Amino acid sequence: MAYVATRGGEKAIEQAERLFRQDLGPIDAARVDTIRKNMPYLVDRVIGEASLYDEELAALALAQTGGELSEAVLVLRAWRTTQPRLAIARPVQQDEVLTQRRISAAFKDIPGGQILGPTLDYSHRVLATDVLEGKPFTPPPVDSAQAPAPVRQPSLAEWQRQQGLVAPATEPDTAPEDIPDLTREPLLFPASRAHRLQSLARAETGGVLALGYAAMRGYGNAHPTVNELRLGEANVVVRHPRGTEFSAGRVRVSQAEVTSKEKGGYLELGFAATFGWNEVKVIAAATLDLNSAEAPVGSAVHEEFYLYHTESVEASGFCIHFKLPHYVTFQSVLDAMRDARAKKTAADAAPAETRQMEPAE
């Protein structure tokens, strides 16, 4: 594919950007803080897709790009590449997550119980139009439980292993510091599961949902049941150069395990996790992980298909580049059209000329 680089007209290009910035208006710390506080789930989506946990910077990226998600993710990823990596955090275990929401669609009475937490799953979706008439919407206060649920919840999969439903866990064969890093290494196929889960963790939510939904509707080989869905906060535990471990803070995380089929006498699990709270993404991503094994090449659930086509920066960049001048490519199309027309005209005219040259009987 050939296209011409945009050059010349520097003043026009500069004014086009100024016009965009003018439409957005001035950006200050108060505006960024308002976005961070009032749109936490949108901020979480940018955090997850940019592979950088910083609510303030994610809110700034949204403010700077007018809420255009692919652009916000792009500028935040670009900023991340300029920062040094200081340490590798200790792996997070499920039973160490400070859990605020934990449900299972597979079992009713799970160890620790179902914790609905913050959700609209069971609510009527009604637009609060009274707000536009000057009547502010003030949510009613939450009633405290008589006995609050434990902050930490056990792993449901571990309980299933004890029941003989899930295959016994195997010892990891890779040290945490040796786990491949997708932000620094290219994605190669066939992909290791570590690369696959990392790619899904920062994949574009809409793309993951579309392909996960395709798998759910029959274009995959397994229809998912949510084994466990969990929203919580995980401690980032790092090791000091002196050897002591400490928590550098907490990050909001989402994780999902789905299942639907057995393999070798055990339930097979699909898994996904990401920064921030984004339930639909981790359910769809875990569905893709579950369907990856032995998926037909070219299908919606084949790893090379869904990992390439849910990479937000690459996908949006490739789509957007079509706005650049493609004069050379398009001119070749026009030349081919004109040549085909000329040949057709010549072919249509040839029989008539031949008949005129034949002698009359």
Side-chain angles (χ1 to χ4, degrees):
M1 179 184 300
Y3 62 91
V4 179
T6 304
R7 59 188 178 184
E10 287 84 359
K11 185 175 181 180
I13 294 172
E14 179 185 352
Q15 295 306 311
E17 181 177 351
R18 288 189 182 186
L19 184 60
F20 179 85
R21 303 296 178 196
Q22 178 178 287
D23 288 343
L24 293 184
I27 300 172
D28 56 15
R31 183 173 179 179
V32 172
D33 192 54
T34 298
I35 294 174
R36 182 183 64 82
K37 291 179 178 177
N38 295 340
M39 299 182 180
Y41 289 92
L42 182 62
V43 169
D44 278 2
R45 176 170 170 178
V46 174
I47 284 173
E49 295 178 14
S51 318
L52 178 68
Y53 195 94
D54 191 309
E55 296 177 355
E56 189 174 50
L57 289 178
L60 174 60
L62 285 167
Q64 184 176 323
T65 59
E68 214 295 318
L69 286 179
S70 60
E71 288 289 336
V73 171
L74 172 60
V75 297
L76 192 54
R77 280 196 192 181
W79 188 89
R80 176 181 51 74
T81 62
T82 67
Q83 302 306 300
R85 175 158 300 177
L86 302 178
I88 303 295
R90 190 182 72 190
V92 175
Q93 303 298 326
Q94 281 185 325
D95 55 4
E96 296 177 352
V97 174
L98 306 179
T99 304
Q100 299 191 35
R101 172 166 161 79
R102 175 177 175 259
I103 61 170
S104 172
F107 298 89
K108 178 182 178 183
D109 299 318
I110 57 177
Q114 307 266 2
I115 304 174
L116 299 188
T119 183
L120 294 175
D121 284 354
Y122 319 103
S123 309
H124 295 295
R125 271 62 167 189
V126 179
L127 193 62
T129 54
D130 289 349
V131 173
L132 303 179
E133 299 173 3
K135 302 174 185 178
F137 173 74
T138 304
V142 178
D143 297 329
S144 300
Q146 294 181 352
V151 175
R152 292 178 174 83
Q153 295 291 333
S155 165
L156 181 57
E158 187 58 39
W159 174 76
Q160 291 171 317
R161 286 190 179 94
Q162 297 172 8
Q163 308 301 312
L165 300 175
V166 174
T170 58
E171 289 294 327
D173 56 3
T174 305
E177 59 272 15
D178 295 330
I179 293 175
D181 184 354
L182 190 62
T183 66
R184 296 185 173 196
E185 303 174 12
L187 180 64
L188 302 175
F189 296 101
S192 66
R193 192 155 188 257
H195 266 155
R196 188 163 71 234
L197 294 181
Q198 287 179 48
S199 185
L200 286 171
R202 70 177 198 161
E204 202 271 330
T205 299
V208 173
L209 175 59
L211 296 182
Y213 179 51
M216 297 169 190
R217 291 191 62 247
Y219 291 89
N221 52 20
H223 188 81
T225 297
V226 174
N227 195 53
E228 180 180 354
L229 174 68
R230 187 185 297 232
L231 303 181
E233 297 180 7
N235 275 316
V236 179
V237 179
V238 295
R239 183 179 295 276
H240 192 274
R242 295 179 179 178
T244 58
E245 289 188 339
F246 66 97
S247 174
R250 296 176 184 169
V251 295
R252 284 155 57 107
V253 293
S254 309
Q255 70 156 73
E257 289 175 342
V258 301
T259 185
S260 71
K261 58 182 181 178
E262 66 87 22
K263 184 176 183 180
Y266 297 107
L267 289 173
E268 191 173 1
L269 296 178
F271 178 82
T274 191
F275 278 149
W277 287 359
N278 192 340
E279 296 183 16
V280 70
K281 175 179 175 177
V282 290
I283 292 173
T287 300
L288 293 173
D289 180 50
L290 179 66
N291 280 269
S292 287
E294 303 175 0
V297 176
S299 67
V301 293
H302 185 257
E303 63 175 19
E304 188 168 349
F305 188 90
Y306 69 73
L307 292 183
Y308 267 144
H309 298 108
T310 57
E311 166 47 50
S312 62
V313 171
E314 183 174 344
S316 62
F318 190 82
C319 182
I320 289 171
H321 101 279
F322 284 105
K323 295 188 292 184
L324 296 175
H326 283 65
Y327 306 138
V328 174
T329 304
F330 192 66
Q331 186 62 47
S332 67
V333 173
L334 295 181
D335 289 344
M337 286 177 57
R338 290 169 181 147
D339 183 61
R341 287 181 179 178
K343 290 180 178 178
K344 184 177 185 303
T345 301
D348 291 343
E353 294 173 358
T354 302
R355 284 195 299 269
Q356 291 176 1
M357 294 176 62
E358 292 177 354
E361 295 182 359

